[in-house]
Structure formats: C-alpha cells, structure tokens
C-alpha cells in the first residue's frame, strides 16, 4: 500500500521538476526576457549586413528578374544557417521588363527655332509600349479625375498628364502614408481611366518628395485590352509642362518600349522556428523580397526582409525557444501583383484561425516609435509589457487601428489575423521610394537595430502571450 502511495508522489515530483526546468528554459514574456531581446537586437548589425548583401551584391529585384531569383536563394541560405526550417513556396509572378524611355517637348508657344526640351521620366509597371520610334501627340494636363471626365472629348489620341502634387506637409507631420495614398491613386487609376476614353498615353506627376528631378515609378494598374504607354515624370517636368500648356498647345514625342513576358516561376521564402508546445499556432514576421528596378530597394524592402530575418538571429543568440511557431516570410511580388501573399493565403485559408498575428515591415527603415496593430480595442491593454520593454529605446507607442491594410497581410487580416507593423518615422521615406536613390547609404544602421528590436520583441510577445489578443475585425466597406 505504501509503495502504491509513493510511486504517484514521486511521479508528481518529477513532473513538477520537469515543469520548472521547462519554464526556466523558456522565459516567456517576463520583463527581463523582453529586455534581453531588446538589448541583444540593439547590439547586433545582423540586419544591416543582410541588407547590404541584398542591395550591394544583388541589386534590383523586380519579380521575374535574375535579381529576384538570386534574392530567394540568398535569403533561404541565410535562414538555413540560422537553423530554421526553410520552405520555398512556388509562385507564378508577372514578368515585365523596362525598355527605352524617352520624352521630349517638341512644340509649344514661344519655342525658339531648333529648341526642344527633355522630359525625365520612367515607365510605370505594366505600361504598354509605343512603336520603336515613339509617338508624337498633344499633351492634355489635368489636375483631378473630375477634370479628366469634363475634358473627355479632348483626350482621344492625346497624351494625358495627371499633375497632382504630393503633399509633403502631410508627410512631415506624420501623415506620409495618407499623402502617398492620395497621390498614388492617380498613378494606379489614372492611366486606366485615360485609356478607357481613348488617350494615346498617360503620364503622372511622380508621387513623392525631395524634388531633385527623380522619377518615382510604381505599378500602373493597366490591364490587357487597354494597355497604353504610361510613365511617371519628375515633379519639375510636370510643373514645366503645366506652365507651357497654359501658354498654348503643347506636344511631346514619347518613346516607351517595355515588354510583358510570360509569367515567371518564383517563390516565397518561408522559414519556421517551431514552437515548443503550440507548434501549430503561428506568428508571422515578414517583409517583401522584390523591389522596383531603378535602384537596389534598400528601404523598399530589403531592410524589412533583413529585419524579419534578424528576429531569428536575435532569438538564436539568446537560445530562446517560442511556445508558438515564429514564421519568417520573405514575400515575392508585392510591388506589382501581391501574388506571393495571395498564394500563401490560398494555401493557409483553412488554417487562418491558427495564425495568432502577422507582422510586416514595409514602410522603410526610418526611426521606430512603437507599433501599429489591428487588434480589438479591449486587447490593447495586453501589450503594456511589450510597450514597457521598448520604451527605453523610444519605441513604446502602441497605436491600435481597426485595419492596417498592408499589402501582403491584407488578405490574412480580412480573414481575421491581427496585423502588426513598426510605427516609423516616414517623413522622408517617400523621398527615395521607387526611385533610383533607394540605396543602402540611405539606411541608418542605428534605426535598423531599433527596427529589429521592435520586430523581435513583438514576435516573441505574440508567440508566448497567454491571453488571446483577439481576432482582427476589418470593417466592411
């Protein structure tokens, strides 16, 4: 009888000792653990080194290009070196390639004999092509969609210029995303609307700041059946054309020869750090691999991918094992299709409820001030320990929103997965965005360390939080 009593007692003692040992090995969301994560990230240049690898060694990474393929291999190899379980998820991506691009103002009132003026421009993604020797047509300048509609009878066979300024005052006061949204609607929708009423081509004033005669490219939203030549012109050239058009008729010679090739094979890079006791529950930390082709995409979005990779490096240095699986995703084709995100969502639709949260960094590498989150209002208080851990580096702000609607995470968010993003200083981000100036020298290494601290602490917090943070509830528009 005594033996029967002692055996379960010893079993309970052994179980208790194992539980204590497991707890010691997995520090969870104890303030000291979050502090160590912060401090380890702030002492590391891992993200800077990976950003340099992607930008300096590879360069531009537009979907379907050799650069994009090289980035897939580079990131996958780096994650394997960190001990992650790596999967390459196949994605069919658009393959658009830039050709010759040339603009010249050839007729306008008061033009001296023999004088023409060059226009600095860059074809928009998905642009159609002119004949090899270009087109010559009159330019119609409009400042809104309403004006385009009112002047529809003048548009057929002409080049439409949407001259809509980027609101830098908004950007400097913390509203850069809203300013970009107001401007980019003309880049995305303007060429299509111009094509529908018979325009020969469409131009848009570049969407961004720092007016140093740099064109800002981006996707056009054009589709087969109405794919006219479309380009972004520099702010200075848009203003010049507007002034000349007020003097009288203005004509332009335009050469754009991009090609749309068959869809290419590519991949999302997925790397897992399996959870210890809830491995089927997932926290995503991510950025997008592809970039536009004018520069090396340092801010957009090599720094974001590198920061997501550095989450694994930071936790490896501490030998911290999360309760839930942390999944790093380097998305493919955010810039001109979001096919990587859609492919992942299709594969994971049935498992959306097992995704506890998804983090993406895709707003450059400016100074982080905290975190944006699409969690229920009642859940905001749960993040107080995370805020406290990040406050010493000036990143303790928690900004709750009903929806973040970030590119790669928007589908998951609509499926109820809470989205998170670093709350960044973006006042100068759109100076470089989608331009030839988006290069490594524009990235501040100290800001990048803070970026990693925010990303890693948030991923760890979500992977270990006891109380559910709730599901996203995206408003129906």
């Amino acid at each position: 009888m005594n033996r029967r009593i002692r055996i379960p007692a010893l079993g309970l003692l052994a179980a208790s000792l194992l539980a204590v040992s497991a707890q010691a090995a997995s520090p969870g969301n104890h303030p000291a653990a979050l502090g160590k994560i912060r401090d380890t990230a702030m002492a590391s240049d891992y993200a800077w080194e990976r950003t340099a690898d992607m930008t300096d060694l590879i360069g531009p990474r537009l979907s379907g290009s050799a650069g994009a393929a090289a980035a897939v291999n580079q990131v996958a190899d780096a994650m394997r070196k960190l001990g992650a379980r790596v999967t390459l998820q196949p994605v069919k991506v658009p393959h658009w390639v830039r050709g010759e691009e040339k603009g010249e103002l050839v007729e306008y009132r008061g033009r001296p004999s023999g004088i023409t003026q060059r226009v600095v421009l860059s074809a928009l993604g998905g642009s159609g092509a002119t004949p090899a020797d270009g087109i010559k047509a009159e330019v119609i300048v409009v400042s809104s969609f309403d004006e385009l509609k009112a002047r529809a009878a003048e548009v057929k066979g002409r080049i439409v210029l949407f001259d809509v300024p980027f609101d830098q005052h908004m950007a400097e006061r913390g509203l850069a995303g809203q300013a970009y949204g107001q401007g980019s609607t003309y880049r995305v929708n303007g060429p299509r609307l111009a094509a529908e009423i018979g325009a020969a081509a469409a131009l848009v004033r570049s969407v961004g700041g720092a007016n140093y005669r740099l064109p800002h490219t981006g996707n056009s939203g054009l589709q087969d059946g109405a794919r006219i030549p479309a380009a972004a012109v520099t702010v200075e050239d848009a203003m010049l054309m507007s002034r000349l058009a007020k003097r009288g008729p203005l004509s332009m010679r335009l050469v754009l020869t991009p090609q749309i090739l068959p869809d290419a094979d590519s991949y999302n890079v997925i790397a897992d750090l399996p959870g210890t006791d809830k491995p089927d529950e997932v926290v995503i930390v991510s950025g997008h691999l592809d970039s536009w082709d004018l520069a090396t995409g340092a801010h957009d979005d090599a720094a974001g991918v590198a920061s997501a990779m550095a989450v694994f490096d930071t936790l490896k240095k501490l030998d911290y094992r999360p309760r839930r699986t942390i999944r790093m995703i380097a998305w493919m084709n955010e810039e001109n299709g979001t096919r990587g995100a859609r492919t992942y969502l299709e594969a994971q639709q049935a498992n959306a409820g097992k995704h506890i949260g998804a983090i993406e960094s895709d707003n450059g590498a400016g100074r982080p001030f905290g975190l944006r989150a699409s969690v229920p209002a009642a859940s905001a208080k749960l993040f107080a320990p995370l805020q406290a851990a990040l406050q010493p580096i000036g990143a303790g702000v928690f900004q709750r929103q009903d929806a973040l609607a970030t590119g790669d995470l928007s589908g998951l968010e609509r499926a109820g997965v809470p989205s998170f993003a670093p709350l960044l200083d973006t006042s100068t981000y759109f100076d470089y965005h989608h331009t030839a100036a988006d290069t490594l020298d524009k990235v501040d290494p100290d800001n990048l360390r803070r970026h990693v601290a925010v990303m890693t602490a948030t991923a760890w917090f979500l992977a270990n939080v006891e109380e559910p943070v709730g599901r996203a509830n995206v408003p129906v528009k």
Side-chain angles (χ1 to χ4, degrees), residues 67-130:
V72 167
N73 292 330
Q74 186 186 83
V75 171
D77 288 346
M79 297 310 292
R80 291 187 187 103
K81 287 178 182 177
L82 291 176
R85 188 174 64 202
V86 175
T87 303
L88 298 183
Q89 183 178 44
V91 181
K92 279 284 188 183
V93 298
H95 192 185
W96 178 88
V97 295
R98 191 177 302 280
E100 185 179 6
E101 35 196 39
K102 190 185 304 181
E104 189 178 25
L105 303 179
V106 295
E107 291 180 8
Y108 48 89
R109 183 167 293 168
R111 179 180 66 90
S113 178
I115 296 297
T116 61
Q117 296 202 57
R118 178 186 175 222
V119 172
V120 179
L121 51 76
S122 181
L124 296 176
S127 167
T130 66

Side-chain angles (χ1 to χ4, degrees), residues 23-324:
Q23 188 176 15
S26 179
N29 282 326
H30 191 278
L34 292 170
K36 285 182 180 179
I37 287 171
R38 176 199 64 224
D39 294 344
T40 302
M42 290 299 294
S44 174
D45 282 325
Y46 181 87
W48 171 262
E49 292 162 359
R50 300 293 76 74
T51 304
D53 286 349
M54 198 177 301
T55 56
D56 286 353
L57 302 184
I58 296 175
R61 303 173 303 281
L62 189 59
S63 292
S65 69
V72 167
N73 292 330
Q74 186 186 83
V75 171
D77 288 346
M79 297 310 292
R80 291 187 187 103
K81 287 178 182 177
L82 291 176
R85 188 174 64 202
V86 175
T87 303
L88 298 183
Q89 183 178 44
V91 181
K92 279 284 188 183
V93 298
H95 192 185
W96 178 88
V97 295
R98 191 177 302 280
E100 185 179 6
E101 35 196 39
K102 190 185 304 181
E104 189 178 25
L105 303 179
V106 295
E107 291 180 8
Y108 48 89
R109 183 167 293 168
R111 179 180 66 90
S113 178
I115 296 297
T116 61
Q117 296 202 57
R118 178 186 175 222
V119 172
V120 179
L121 51 76
S122 181
L124 296 176
S127 167
T130 66
D133 58 352
I135 61 171
K136 177 186 171 185
E138 186 175 342
V139 177
I140 302 295
V141 181
V142 300
S143 59
S144 68
F145 291 135
D146 287 341
E147 185 178 357
L148 176 70
K149 184 177 179 180
R151 300 180 64 185
E154 304 174 51
V155 168
K156 189 171 183 180
R158 292 178 168 85
I159 298 170
V160 175
L161 167 64
F162 293 91
D163 184 20
V164 181
F166 176 78
D167 194 331
Q168 183 62 28
H169 293 292
M170 289 180 68
E172 290 168 357
R173 287 156 181 79
L175 298 170
Q178 291 88 333
Y180 178 69
Q182 291 175 9
S184 64
T185 188
Y186 287 93
R187 189 197 73 218
V188 173
N189 297 309
R192 174 180 57 81
L193 293 173
E196 288 173 358
I197 56 177
L203 305 175
V204 297
R205 178 169 168 160
S206 283
V207 185
N211 302 332
Y212 297 116
R213 219 174 178 198
L214 280 173
H216 296 237
T217 192
N219 212 28
S220 67
L222 289 166
Q223 300 292 329
D224 288 337
R227 198 181 291 276
I228 60 175
V233 301
T234 68
V235 170
E236 295 89 342
D237 287 300
M239 295 171 73
L240 169 64
M241 293 166 74
S242 290
R243 292 194 301 268
L244 291 176
K246 289 177 182 177
R247 291 174 176 260
L250 169 68
S251 292
M252 179 181 195
R253 185 175 302 282
L254 178 67
V255 177
L256 294 176
T257 61
Q259 297 179 66
I260 298 176
L261 303 177
D263 285 356
D265 293 321
S266 193
Y267 304 90
N268 290 327
V269 180
I270 301 174
D272 283 350
L273 177 59
T276 55
D277 59 298
K278 294 187 176 184
D280 59 330
E281 296 184 4
V282 175
V283 173
I284 291 173
V285 60
S286 66
H288 68 82
L289 265 182
D290 59 309
S291 76
W292 282 104
D293 55 330
L294 299 183
T296 61
H299 275 271
D300 189 19
D301 187 31
V305 173
S307 295
M309 297 167 70
V311 170
F312 281 49
D313 176 69
T314 304
L315 297 180
K316 181 179 180 181
K317 286 171 178 169
L318 291 166
D319 195 23
Y320 280 7
R321 315 287 174 82
R323 295 179 63 203
R324 299 179 179 90

